[in-house]
Each structure stands twice: as structure tokens, then as C-alpha cells.
Amino acid sequence: MSNSKNPMGNMRKSTVAVIDYGMGNLHSVAKALEHVADENTSVIVTSDPAVIDAADRVLLPGVGAIRDCIGEMHNAGLVPSIRKAMAEKPFLAICVGIQSLMSHSEENGGVDCLNHFQGNALFFGEKHTDHDGSKLKVPHMGWNQVKHTIDHPLWADIDDNARFYFVHSFYVVPENKAEVAGTCDYGLEFCVALARDNVFAVQFHPEKSHKDGLQLYKNFLHWDGKP
């Protein structure tokens, strides 16, 4: 999104709002964004709907239980601003943030989510196994390869099958397979990135994923919201 000049002749800073609803490692996310931002980009951690509404880009983080995440979004009065941002501007969701955009999660006996992407978040299972039948640990934790399933601006300068850092026990299953932007293999091939119009969401932690995670954040800060 291009900057515009104010009456003083200075370039207006482009702003990215990191939504603070009490869940997520906001400090490390903000620091990673600041590391790749140029001098004309301002990173703001905020719980103020007005600031989110005014931002050029919005990032939705998330950790922990999905019921708590969705509950805190509603309690903080942020859901209308989240929906507005997803309709209007470049929007990135990370980690549990991707699960919050689904219709439903089976965590905690079932939780209704924001329903931006139709589909569910499912549990790997206590007895999750690899393709050879050997037991795999849940949560899925550590580095794993991400396969690009579509060509997207947020994958720019990131190799197909690059490794990203994961910590999660649930994975998303969208109804529309055309919205899958990336997959990973952990006993089964599952979706780790979703894309539709100006919204992109990933299951992994970019801020913990070294150069490729930083590149994804850099791509986001330069993304105009077009596929």
C-alpha cells in the first residue's frame, strides 16, 4: 500500500497493527516485524479498535486454547474490527490465529470460531502415528517443511519446502481446498497456510522461523492484499 504525503510534505508512515487481546507472544512478533520494517513503517501493538481500523495492515497472533482466544476477542470488543480488517486490508493470522478464522474447532468439546474460512480445526489425537505406524508426539513441535500449494506474494523469496517452526495440537481442514496455500507432513499431510483475497493465515510461528519467517513478515509489510 503506497504512502501518501501530509500537508507538511513528509511521507505518512504505513502502519501495521498487531492485535493485543491478551493472548500471544506479542513482544517477539512486534520485534520481528520491526526488524524487517523500513523507516516508513510503524509497528503498533494495540487493543484499540480505532487504531486497528486506521491501520494499513493487521496481524492477528494467537497461542493457547482456542476457547480462550475467541472469548478474549469478544470480551475486548475486537471482533467487529477484526472482521472489518479482513474485509478491507492486508491481514495476516499466525499460529492459533489461523484456527480462530475457521468455522469451528473441536478443542474443549467444540468452539465456534470466526467463520472467515469454512471448515474445522481438528485434534491430531493422543495416538497419532507416522506413515510407518510409529507413534508421533502431540503437540507437533519443532521444525518442519512447508510445501507451497499456490503461488502467492507472501511466499516470495521463500523456497518451497523451507522449514518453519511449529507448536500445535490441532490442524485446520478447510472445506474449500482451493484456499490451501501450504501444507506440511506430520503423519498426514495437512493444511498450514490459507489464502483468500487479502487474508493470509499460517499455523507456524514466523517470528521463531529464522530467515524464512522474517522473509514472510517482510513480504507481508509490502503486500498490497492482492493474491
Side-chain angles (χ1 to χ4, degrees), residues 84-103:
K84 188 171 186 290
M86 288 192 291
E88 297 179 352
K89 61 191 70 177
F91 186 99
L92 175 64
I94 63 172
C95 194
V96 176
I98 189 176
Q99 297 176 26
S100 74
L101 301 191
M102 306 307 293
S103 305

Side-chain angles (χ1 to χ4, degrees), residues 26-157:
L26 304 181
H27 177 75
S28 61
V29 172
K31 287 296 183 184
L33 286 168
E34 289 169 353
H35 182 75
V36 296
D38 60 31
E39 60 184 8
N40 292 315
T41 301
S42 178
V43 178
I44 306 169
V45 177
T46 182
S47 59
D48 186 342
V51 175
I52 297 168
D53 292 346
D56 297 293
R57 293 173 179 79
V58 173
L59 187 148
L60 179 68
V63 297
I66 190 66
R67 185 182 299 278
D68 294 337
C69 288
I70 296 296
E72 290 302 318
M73 289 179 201
H74 282 287
N75 291 340
L78 293 171
V79 172
S81 290
I82 292 171
R83 294 193 187 281
K84 188 171 186 290
M86 288 192 291
E88 297 179 352
K89 61 191 70 177
F91 186 99
L92 175 64
I94 63 172
C95 194
V96 176
I98 189 176
Q99 297 176 26
S100 74
L101 301 191
M102 306 307 293
S103 305
H104 187 81
S105 172
E106 66 178 16
E107 187 176 353
N108 303 126
V111 179
D112 288 331
C113 302
L114 298 181
N115 198 36
H116 184 78
F117 292 104
Q118 284 66 57
N120 301 305
L122 305 181
F123 183 43
F124 278 117
E126 296 293 348
K127 298 181 179 180
H128 186 56
T129 59
D130 207 344
H131 301 285
D132 62 2
S134 58
K135 190 173 183 348
L136 290 171
K137 292 182 179 179
V138 176
H140 170 218
M141 181 182 297
W143 295 88
N144 208 335
Q145 292 178 307
V146 171
K147 177 183 177 181
H148 303 170
T149 55
I150 63 171
D151 185 17
H152 193 279
L154 264 68
W155 291 140
D157 297 317

